[in-house]
Amino acid sequence: MRTQVGIVGAGPAGLLLSHLLHLRGIDSVVLEARSRHYIEQRVRAGVLEQGTVDVLNEAGVGDRMRAEGLPHHGIELRYGGAGHRIPFEELVPGRAITVYGQQEVVKDLVARRLADGGKILFDVPDVALHSLERDPYLTFQGERLDCDVIAGCDGFHGVSRRSIPEGVLTVFQRDYPFAWLGILARIPPSAKELIYSHTERGFALHSMRSEEISRFYLQVPPDASLDDWPDERIWAELRARLETVPGFTLAEGPIISRDMSAMRSFVAEPMRHGNLYLAGDAAHIVPPTGAKGLNLAVADVRLLTEALTEFYATGSGDLLDAYSGNCLKRVWRAQHFSWWMTTLLHTFDADDPYGRRLQTAHLDYVTSSEAAATTLAENYVGLPFDFGAHP
């Protein structure tokens, strides 16, 4: 087989890249290790930045998102027995977030690619990358796919980044001393917007996926097991961490899924080696506190699409050469914001009263200073795509 761009991974990054390239008349083949059912049911992020929403709408895959997604114009920081709203509509006019599950984005993109005749090969677990610095090609299940460029969109544990020779990449990583226990519950949300709650017991997040499905997260020890957390314990801890303001009662319902996520920050740079370009979680991971993972992937593939469009239209590799540097400026901004939100809201050393007082002082500043609240708001809804780009 032969294509222009071989894409490894059918997550949001790989699927959106394939669709955007199709709109520019550039051919691609997507190889995915898992089944279509698996990727369309895998529960991940659910907060879309304004720029991500705009990209999906402009690409013609936003119909269901507009119909079913939940636009939000603020979030609540809850601590010290009080709630403090960060009003996006006042601080960053015209920009908001939309709550719409990552698996729903994947469903929309898969359906559109297949309707357009796109090539997505599922259940291909043995992909290998070859000849990255010259004439790249992919092999899988006895087949060979020749291409001009390979896009590694196969996540943190994928084969793409691991195919780069040792010593080429510089890796930056920070592991946090806690994990997130996440659940989906078949119950209407107890609030209209997300609640980030900081307590001495640990952090909790009240979120949602629809008008009927709520999403919750609890800070738990890094070695915690799902077996340690039966339903009764989960609801008791959520009540203890969220029912901290007068008049708020947490609605409870049947838990329909649960997952445990390690908390880490990770960047591998550069995001290019020869004719291999990394995008999304293959190159960088952020703790989910700042809701940046999926949105960074969209920003990456948007830049990669522009670079490949220039390359095929003019033969110029200037934007391809600038791809890694341009992506990393936004990546490191998101890394800092995600680290900042994580350290601001989570409980660390119980024997560190000095650190706890610093957190409270910083929360007081964010919730009382318009300048500080604006910094949070503009990062949360997403910085413009031209942030940090070369002229």
Side-chain angles (χ1 to χ4, degrees), residues 313-328:
T314 70
S316 171
D318 289 349
L319 288 182
L320 286 173
D321 292 339
Y323 168 75
S324 179
N326 283 340
C327 285
L328 286 168

Side-chain angles (χ1 to χ4, degrees), residues 158-169:
V159 67
S160 295
R161 189 182 68 253
R162 292 187 282 113
S163 299
I164 297 175
E166 186 175 351
V168 171
L169 296 177

Side-chain angles (χ1 to χ4, degrees), residues 173-187:
Q173 182 164 332
R174 173 164 295 179
D175 295 312
Y176 297 87
F178 39 76
W180 267 19
L181 166 61
I183 67 165
L184 282 176
R186 195 174 301 283
I187 191 72

Side-chain angles (χ1 to χ4, degrees), residues 63-139:
D63 291 352
R64 200 161 65 92
M65 174 187 65
R66 291 193 301 274
E68 301 178 15
L70 304 175
H72 286 195
H73 298 277
I75 59 172
E76 179 184 324
L77 301 183
R78 184 172 290 187
Y79 69 99
H84 307 265
R85 186 171 184 267
I86 306 297
F88 300 156
E89 70 275 12
E90 298 175 14
L91 300 170
V92 281
R95 300 181 69 79
I97 60 168
T98 296
V99 175
Y100 188 64
Q102 174 174 310
Q103 71 273 24
E104 305 305 325
V105 175
V106 167
K107 290 176 188 176
D108 296 341
L109 288 167
V110 168
R112 181 59 182 270
R113 290 304 298 125
L114 295 179
D116 289 342
K119 302 179 185 69
I120 309 173
L121 304 183
F122 297 103
D123 294 306
V124 184
D126 56 348
V127 174
L129 287 67
H130 307 273
S131 189
L132 300 178
E133 298 184 53
R134 286 191 165 185
D135 300 309
Y137 64 96
L138 297 154
T139 57

Side-chain angles (χ1 to χ4, degrees), residues 148-228:
D148 303 322
V149 167
I150 296 175
C153 306
D154 50 345
F156 181 77
H157 298 289
V159 67
S160 295
R161 189 182 68 253
R162 292 187 282 113
S163 299
I164 297 175
E166 186 175 351
V168 171
L169 296 177
T170 301
V171 171
F172 304 86
Q173 182 164 332
R174 173 164 295 179
D175 295 312
Y176 297 87
F178 39 76
W180 267 19
L181 166 61
I183 67 165
L184 282 176
R186 195 174 301 283
I187 191 72
S190 301
K192 295 182 178 180
E193 295 177 337
L194 278 70
I195 301 171
Y196 287 77
S197 184
H198 169 73
T199 76
E200 292 191 1
R201 300 178 67 95
F203 168 77
L205 174 60
H206 172 289
S207 184
M208 63 284 294
R209 287 295 178 268
S210 70
E211 299 287 1
E212 295 80 31
I213 302 294
S214 296
R215 179 70 160 157
F216 298 96
Y217 296 97
L218 282 169
Q219 175 187 348
V220 297
D223 56 352
S225 165
L226 290 176
D227 293 336
D228 301 332

